Amino acid sequence: ELRAGDRSTPYSMVVASSQGDLKANEIALTAWCGDDLGAQTGDEVTLSFFVPDRGQRLATRRSRFRVKEIVPMDSPLVDREMMPPYPGLSDAESCSEWDAGIPIALDRIRARDETYWERYRGTPKAVIGLATGQRLWSNRFGNLTAVRFADSEAESRVREAVGNAGARSLGL
């Protein structure tokens, strides 16, 4: 959840990125989210999120941020492809179909959220700095969910290097 004062936006994708020069206590909100929260640059926003706890349990954590900027929905900071494929979530046609293995209170989902999902799917509603995201979300599974490349040439070089390293590790 993202919360500003008495307004909240439930079940929102938030990404950590090295783009945008965000300090540890700063967050960039999309125009949609800023409007939904009634938030403006300089306002305080609280982010509530799940983290893995003991066994298969989830714990809820909170962190406060200052809104550095409100970015348009077509900003390079956010796009639909930033949400990795997540069974039961990314393939759902509506919020009411979510089956992501986390507690979801469907009664918190508003018509506005369904409209967002129809139009933008899992497009992030906010961005925090990469170091902050790694500090908040690192767990036994690692500290990154995905890696994005600035251009296809860089991606090809990394894919080739990783592929070659993988083949060597298998003795091929």
Side-chain angles (χ1 to χ4, degrees):
E1 170 189 79
L2 288 156
R3 177 172 290 280
D6 63 351
R7 295 174 73 174
S8 69
T9 302
Y11 306 113
S12 301
M13 184 66 59
V14 176
V15 296
S17 176
S18 60
Q19 309 252 322
D21 192 35
L22 294 162
K23 295 183 175 89
N25 67 334
E26 294 178 330
I27 192 167
L29 300 178
T30 62
W32 187 96
C33 188
D35 179 62
D36 194 43
L37 293 173
Q40 299 177 7
T41 302
D43 288 351
E44 183 176 274
V45 171
T46 301
L47 172 64
S48 299
F49 51 93
F50 294 122
V51 294
D53 202 5
R54 296 182 196 158
Q56 295 184 355
R57 298 175 69 165
L58 293 173
T60 301
R61 301 282 187 263
R62 288 177 182 73
S63 192
R64 287 182 289 189
F65 296 91
R66 187 76 45 207
V67 177
K68 179 181 181 181
E69 63 182 318
I70 307 287
V71 299
M73 292 305 297
D74 62 354
S75 168
L77 275 178
V78 294
D79 74 48
R80 187 180 205 156
E81 299 300 316
M82 289 181 149
M83 184 179 109
Y86 195 99
L89 189 63
S90 53
D91 54 349
E93 291 300 316
S94 69
C95 300
S96 60
E97 293 178 11
W98 288 348
D99 183 17
I102 59 172
I104 297 175
L106 293 177
D107 61 328
R108 293 197 62 217
I109 297 172
R110 309 159 297 173
R112 181 173 174 84
D113 301 316
E114 287 286 4
T115 301
Y116 183 93
W117 187 258
E118 288 171 18
R119 182 163 183 196
Y120 300 111
R121 306 290 286 183
T123 301
K125 294 177 186 165
V127 181
I128 60 174
L130 180 60
T132 302
Q134 289 177 313
R135 180 178 51 79
L136 295 176
W137 300 325
S138 291
N139 57 62
R140 65 183 178 268
F141 302 110
N143 66 1
L144 295 172
T145 307
V147 177
R148 293 181 54 109
F149 297 94
D151 59 60
S152 58
E153 185 179 320
E155 181 179 0
S156 295
R157 289 193 309 267
V158 170
R159 282 184 184 275
E160 183 178 330
V162 169
N164 291 340
R168 282 193 301 277
S169 72
L170 294 174
L172 303 175

PDB file of all heavy atoms in Angstrom, residues 91-113:
ATOM      1  N   ASP A  91      -0.864 -12.776 -15.160  1.00  0.00           N
ATOM      2  CA  ASP A  91      -1.752 -13.374 -16.158  1.00  0.00           C
ATOM      3  C   ASP A  91      -3.237 -13.160 -15.849  1.00  0.00           C
ATOM      4  O   ASP A  91      -4.101 -13.586 -16.603  1.00  0.00           O
ATOM      5  CB  ASP A  91      -1.452 -14.863 -16.312  1.00  0.00           C
ATOM      6  CG  ASP A  91      -1.499 -15.637 -14.998  1.00  0.00           C
ATOM      7  OD1 ASP A  91      -1.556 -14.999 -13.923  1.00  0.00           O
ATOM      8  OD2 ASP A  91      -1.466 -16.876 -15.044  1.00  0.00           O
ATOM      9  N   ALA A  92      -3.547 -12.461 -14.763  1.00  0.00           N
ATOM     10  CA  ALA A  92      -4.947 -12.218 -14.382  1.00  0.00           C
ATOM     11  C   ALA A  92      -5.537 -11.095 -15.229  1.00  0.00           C
ATOM     12  O   ALA A  92      -4.880 -10.091 -15.492  1.00  0.00           O
ATOM     13  CB  ALA A  92      -5.040 -11.857 -12.904  1.00  0.00           C
ATOM     14  N   GLU A  93      -6.769 -11.268 -15.643  1.00  0.00           N
ATOM     15  CA  GLU A  93      -7.452 -10.257 -16.440  1.00  0.00           C
ATOM     16  C   GLU A  93      -7.998  -9.108 -15.598  1.00  0.00           C
ATOM     17  O   GLU A  93      -8.209  -8.022 -16.095  1.00  0.00           O
ATOM     18  CB  GLU A  93      -8.583 -10.893 -17.257  1.00  0.00           C
ATOM     19  CG  GLU A  93      -8.087 -11.795 -18.368  1.00  0.00           C
ATOM     20  CD  GLU A  93      -7.217 -11.059 -19.385  1.00  0.00           C
ATOM     21  OE1 GLU A  93      -7.580  -9.941 -19.797  1.00  0.00           O
ATOM     22  OE2 GLU A  93      -6.161 -11.613 -19.751  1.00  0.00           O
ATOM     23  N   SER A  94      -8.225  -9.365 -14.321  1.00  0.00           N
ATOM     24  CA  SER A  94      -8.741  -8.330 -13.427  1.00  0.00           C
ATOM     25  C   SER A  94      -8.146  -8.536 -12.038  1.00  0.00           C
ATOM     26  O   SER A  94      -7.652  -9.626 -11.718  1.00  0.00           O
ATOM     27  CB  SER A  94     -10.268  -8.361 -13.358  1.00  0.00           C
ATOM     28  OG  SER A  94     -10.693  -9.527 -12.679  1.00  0.00           O
ATOM     29  N   CYS A  95      -8.221  -7.518 -11.222  1.00  0.00           N
ATOM     30  CA  CYS A  95      -7.706  -7.612  -9.848  1.00  0.00           C
ATOM     31  C   CYS A  95      -8.436  -8.696  -9.068  1.00  0.00           C
ATOM     32  O   CYS A  95      -7.834  -9.386  -8.245  1.00  0.00           O
ATOM     33  CB  CYS A  95      -7.855  -6.273  -9.136  1.00  0.00           C
ATOM     34  SG  CYS A  95      -6.984  -4.905  -9.910  1.00  0.00           S
ATOM     35  N   SER A  96      -9.718  -8.862  -9.330  1.00  0.00           N
ATOM     36  CA  SER A  96     -10.500  -9.846  -8.590  1.00  0.00           C
ATOM     37  C   SER A  96     -10.066 -11.279  -8.912  1.00  0.00           C
ATOM     38  O   SER A  96     -10.415 -12.205  -8.188  1.00  0.00           O
ATOM     39  CB  SER A  96     -11.996  -9.671  -8.853  1.00  0.00           C
ATOM     40  OG  SER A  96     -12.272  -9.840 -10.223  1.00  0.00           O
ATOM     41  N   GLU A  97      -9.281 -11.459  -9.970  1.00  0.00           N
ATOM     42  CA  GLU A  97      -8.768 -12.782 -10.342  1.00  0.00           C
ATOM     43  C   GLU A  97      -7.376 -13.054  -9.779  1.00  0.00           C
ATOM     44  O   GLU A  97      -6.822 -14.125  -9.996  1.00  0.00           O
ATOM     45  CB  GLU A  97      -8.719 -12.926 -11.868  1.00  0.00           C
ATOM     46  CG  GLU A  97     -10.057 -12.944 -12.532  1.00  0.00           C
ATOM     47  CD  GLU A  97      -9.953 -13.049 -14.046  1.00  0.00           C
ATOM     48  OE1 GLU A  97      -8.851 -13.308 -14.578  1.00  0.00           O
ATOM     49  OE2 GLU A  97     -10.984 -12.871 -14.704  1.00  0.00           O
ATOM     50  N   TRP A  98      -6.796 -12.090  -9.076  1.00  0.00           N
ATOM     51  CA  TRP A  98      -5.453 -12.293  -8.539  1.00  0.00           C
ATOM     52  C   TRP A  98      -5.422 -13.504  -7.625  1.00  0.00           C
ATOM     53  O   TRP A  98      -6.259 -13.674  -6.751  1.00  0.00           O
ATOM     54  CB  TRP A  98      -4.994 -11.078  -7.750  1.00  0.00           C
ATOM     55  CG  TRP A  98      -4.655  -9.875  -8.569  1.00  0.00           C
ATOM     56  CD1 TRP A  98      -4.491  -9.795  -9.920  1.00  0.00           C
ATOM     57  CD2 TRP A  98      -4.445  -8.550  -8.081  1.00  0.00           C
ATOM     58  NE1 TRP A  98      -4.194  -8.515 -10.296  1.00  0.00           N
ATOM     59  CE2 TRP A  98      -4.158  -7.732  -9.186  1.00  0.00           C
ATOM     60  CE3 TRP A  98      -4.482  -7.989  -6.807  1.00  0.00           C
ATOM     61  CZ2 TRP A  98      -3.897  -6.378  -9.064  1.00  0.00           C
ATOM     62  CZ3 TRP A  98      -4.218  -6.638  -6.677  1.00  0.00           C
ATOM     63  CH2 TRP A  98      -3.927  -5.844  -7.794  1.00  0.00           C
ATOM     64  N   ASP A  99      -4.426 -14.346  -7.822  1.00  0.00           N
ATOM     65  CA  ASP A  99      -4.177 -15.504  -6.974  1.00  0.00           C
ATOM     66  C   ASP A  99      -2.666 -15.646  -6.863  1.00  0.00           C
ATOM     67  O   ASP A  99      -2.063 -16.516  -7.464  1.00  0.00           O
ATOM     68  CB  ASP A  99      -4.812 -16.754  -7.576  1.00  0.00           C
ATOM     69  CG  ASP A  99      -4.647 -17.970  -6.687  1.00  0.00           C
ATOM     70  OD1 ASP A  99      -4.343 -17.804  -5.486  1.00  0.00           O
ATOM     71  OD2 ASP A  99      -4.805 -19.089  -7.201  1.00  0.00           O
ATOM     72  N   ALA A 100      -2.082 -14.730  -6.094  1.00  0.00           N
ATOM     73  CA  ALA A 100      -0.633 -14.602  -6.066  1.00  0.00           C
ATOM     74  C   ALA A 100       0.034 -15.281  -4.876  1.00  0.00           C
ATOM     75  O   ALA A 100       1.242 -15.180  -4.700  1.00  0.00           O
ATOM     76  CB  ALA A 100      -0.256 -13.117  -6.075  1.00  0.00           C
ATOM     77  N   GLY A 101      -0.722 -15.952  -4.039  1.00  0.00           N
ATOM     78  CA  GLY A 101      -0.121 -16.615  -2.894  1.00  0.00           C
ATOM     79  C   GLY A 101       0.206 -15.677  -1.744  1.00  0.00           C
ATOM     80  O   GLY A 101       0.935 -16.030  -0.836  1.00  0.00           O
ATOM     81  N   ILE A 102      -0.313 -14.461  -1.798  1.00  0.00           N
ATOM     82  CA  ILE A 102      -0.155 -13.507  -0.700  1.00  0.00           C
ATOM     83  C   ILE A 102      -1.549 -13.100  -0.248  1.00  0.00           C
ATOM     84  O   ILE A 102      -2.511 -13.204  -1.022  1.00  0.00           O
ATOM     85  CB  ILE A 102       0.653 -12.249  -1.122  1.00  0.00           C
ATOM     86  CG1 ILE A 102      -0.035 -11.520  -2.274  1.00  0.00           C
ATOM     87  CG2 ILE A 102       2.088 -12.615  -1.468  1.00  0.00           C
ATOM     88  CD1 ILE A 102       0.583 -10.181  -2.629  1.00  0.00           C
ATOM     89  N   PRO A 103      -1.671 -12.632   0.989  1.00  0.00           N
ATOM     90  CA  PRO A 103      -2.997 -12.216   1.443  1.00  0.00           C
ATOM     91  C   PRO A 103      -3.497 -10.993   0.671  1.00  0.00           C
ATOM     92  O   PRO A 103      -2.811  -9.978   0.615  1.00  0.00           O
ATOM     93  CB  PRO A 103      -2.796 -11.873   2.915  1.00  0.00           C
ATOM     94  CG  PRO A 103      -1.365 -12.059   3.231  1.00  0.00           C
ATOM     95  CD  PRO A 103      -0.654 -12.501   2.001  1.00  0.00           C
ATOM     96  N   ILE A 104      -4.656 -11.120   0.038  1.00  0.00           N
ATOM     97  CA  ILE A 104      -5.248 -10.014  -0.707  1.00  0.00           C
ATOM     98  C   ILE A 104      -6.680  -9.822  -0.214  1.00  0.00           C
ATOM     99  O   ILE A 104      -7.496 -10.738  -0.291  1.00  0.00           O
ATOM    100  CB  ILE A 104      -5.247 -10.275  -2.229  1.00  0.00           C
ATOM    101  CG1 ILE A 104      -3.813 -10.402  -2.743  1.00  0.00           C
ATOM    102  CG2 ILE A 104      -5.993  -9.167  -2.968  1.00  0.00           C
ATOM    103  CD1 ILE A 104      -3.708 -10.779  -4.196  1.00  0.00           C
ATOM    104  N   ALA A 105      -6.940  -8.639   0.292  1.00  0.00           N
ATOM    105  CA  ALA A 105      -8.301  -8.289   0.730  1.00  0.00           C
ATOM    106  C   ALA A 105      -9.019  -7.679  -0.472  1.00  0.00           C
ATOM    107  O   ALA A 105      -8.864  -6.489  -0.764  1.00  0.00           O
ATOM    108  CB  ALA A 105      -8.251  -7.314   1.900  1.00  0.00           C
ATOM    109  N   LEU A 106      -9.757  -8.495  -1.178  1.00  0.00           N
ATOM    110  CA  LEU A 106     -10.409  -8.040  -2.406  1.00  0.00           C
ATOM    111  C   LEU A 106     -11.356  -6.869  -2.168  1.00  0.00           C
ATOM    112  O   LEU A 106     -11.581  -6.070  -3.076  1.00  0.00           O
ATOM    113  CB  LEU A 106     -11.144  -9.198  -3.084  1.00  0.00           C
ATOM    114  CG  LEU A 106     -10.242 -10.308  -3.635  1.00  0.00           C
ATOM    115  CD1 LEU A 106     -11.083 -11.436  -4.206  1.00  0.00           C
ATOM    116  CD2 LEU A 106      -9.277  -9.777  -4.689  1.00  0.00           C
ATOM    117  N   ASP A 107     -11.874  -6.730  -0.958  1.00  0.00           N
ATOM    118  CA  ASP A 107     -12.783  -5.616  -0.681  1.00  0.00           C
ATOM    119  C   ASP A 107     -12.056  -4.265  -0.658  1.00  0.00           C
ATOM    120  O   ASP A 107     -12.706  -3.222  -0.699  1.00  0.00           O
ATOM    121  CB  ASP A 107     -13.542  -5.849   0.622  1.00  0.00           C
ATOM    122  CG  ASP A 107     -12.630  -5.955   1.839  1.00  0.00           C
ATOM    123  OD1 ASP A 107     -11.485  -6.439   1.706  1.00  0.00           O
ATOM    124  OD2 ASP A 107     -13.075  -5.566   2.934  1.00  0.00           O
ATOM    125  N   ARG A 108     -10.737  -4.270  -0.622  1.00  0.00           N
ATOM    126  CA  ARG A 108      -9.978  -3.027  -0.666  1.00  0.00           C
ATOM    127  C   ARG A 108      -9.785  -2.523  -2.103  1.00  0.00           C
ATOM    128  O   ARG A 108      -9.406  -1.386  -2.324  1.00  0.00           O
ATOM    129  CB  ARG A 108      -8.590  -3.218  -0.035  1.00  0.00           C
ATOM    130  CG  ARG A 108      -8.693  -3.474   1.458  1.00  0.00           C
ATOM    131  CD  ARG A 108      -7.389  -3.256   2.162  1.00  0.00           C
ATOM    132  NE  ARG A 108      -6.964  -1.870   2.007  1.00  0.00           N
ATOM    133  CZ  ARG A 108      -5.698  -1.505   1.851  1.00  0.00           C
ATOM    134  NH1 ARG A 108      -4.740  -2.394   1.845  1.00  0.00           N
ATOM    135  NH2 ARG A 108      -5.377  -0.236   1.703  1.00  0.00           N
ATOM    136  N   ILE A 109     -10.025  -3.392  -3.074  1.00  0.00           N
ATOM    137  CA  ILE A 109      -9.820  -3.026  -4.476  1.00  0.00           C
ATOM    138  C   ILE A 109     -11.028  -2.243  -4.960  1.00  0.00           C
ATOM    139  O   ILE A 109     -12.169  -2.693  -4.867  1.00  0.00           O
ATOM    140  CB  ILE A 109      -9.578  -4.277  -5.334  1.00  0.00           C
ATOM    141  CG1 ILE A 109      -8.281  -4.960  -4.850  1.00  0.00           C
ATOM    142  CG2 ILE A 109      -9.491  -3.915  -6.804  1.00  0.00           C
ATOM    143  CD1 ILE A 109      -8.025  -6.304  -5.466  1.00  0.00           C
ATOM    144  N   ARG A 110     -10.748  -1.046  -5.464  1.00  0.00           N
ATOM    145  CA  ARG A 110     -11.789  -0.130  -5.913  1.00  0.00           C
ATOM    146  C   ARG A 110     -11.975  -0.239  -7.433  1.00  0.00           C
ATOM    147  O   ARG A 110     -11.124  -0.788  -8.131  1.00  0.00           O
ATOM    148  CB  ARG A 110     -11.374   1.310  -5.556  1.00  0.00           C
ATOM    149  CG  ARG A 110     -10.975   1.469  -4.095  1.00  0.00           C
ATOM    150  CD  ARG A 110     -10.115   2.677  -3.865  1.00  0.00           C
ATOM    151  NE  ARG A 110      -8.857   2.535  -4.604  1.00  0.00           N
ATOM    152  CZ  ARG A 110      -7.949   3.494  -4.719  1.00  0.00           C
ATOM    153  NH1 ARG A 110      -8.139   4.667  -4.169  1.00  0.00           N
ATOM    154  NH2 ARG A 110      -6.838   3.291  -5.406  1.00  0.00           N
ATOM    155  N   ALA A 111     -13.047   0.323  -7.926  1.00  0.00           N
ATOM    156  CA  ALA A 111     -13.278   0.359  -9.379  1.00  0.00           C
ATOM    157  C   ALA A 111     -12.103   1.051 -10.067  1.00  0.00           C
ATOM    158  O   ALA A 111     -11.671   0.639 -11.152  1.00  0.00           O
ATOM    159  CB  ALA A 111     -14.591   1.072  -9.690  1.00  0.00           C
ATOM    160  N   ARG A 112     -11.562   2.074  -9.432  1.00  0.00           N
ATOM    161  CA  ARG A 112     -10.415   2.804  -9.974  1.00  0.00           C
ATOM    162  C   ARG A 112      -9.198   1.877 -10.153  1.00  0.00           C
ATOM    163  O   ARG A 112      -8.443   1.987 -11.113  1.00  0.00           O
ATOM    164  CB  ARG A 112     -10.096   3.964  -9.034  1.00  0.00           C
ATOM    165  CG  ARG A 112      -8.955   4.835  -9.430  1.00  0.00           C
ATOM    166  CD  ARG A 112      -8.869   6.044  -8.482  1.00  0.00           C
ATOM    167  NE  ARG A 112      -7.702   6.842  -8.724  1.00  0.00           N
ATOM    168  CZ  ARG A 112      -7.605   7.798  -9.640  1.00  0.00           C
ATOM    169  NH1 ARG A 112      -8.628   8.068 -10.421  1.00  0.00           N
ATOM    170  NH2 ARG A 112      -6.498   8.483  -9.778  1.00  0.00           N
ATOM    171  N   ASP A 113      -8.998   0.949  -9.217  1.00  0.00           N
ATOM    172  CA  ASP A 113      -7.884   0.004  -9.304  1.00  0.00           C
ATOM    173  C   ASP A 113      -8.093  -0.981 -10.447  1.00  0.00           C
ATOM    174  O   ASP A 113      -7.141  -1.330 -11.163  1.00  0.00           O
ATOM    175  CB  ASP A 113      -7.729  -0.757  -7.979  1.00  0.00           C
ATOM    176  CG  ASP A 113      -7.487   0.184  -6.813  1.00  0.00           C
ATOM    177  OD1 ASP A 113      -6.673   1.124  -6.947  1.00  0.00           O
ATOM    178  OD2 ASP A 113      -8.136  -0.011  -5.759  1.00  0.00           O
TER     179      ASP A 113
END
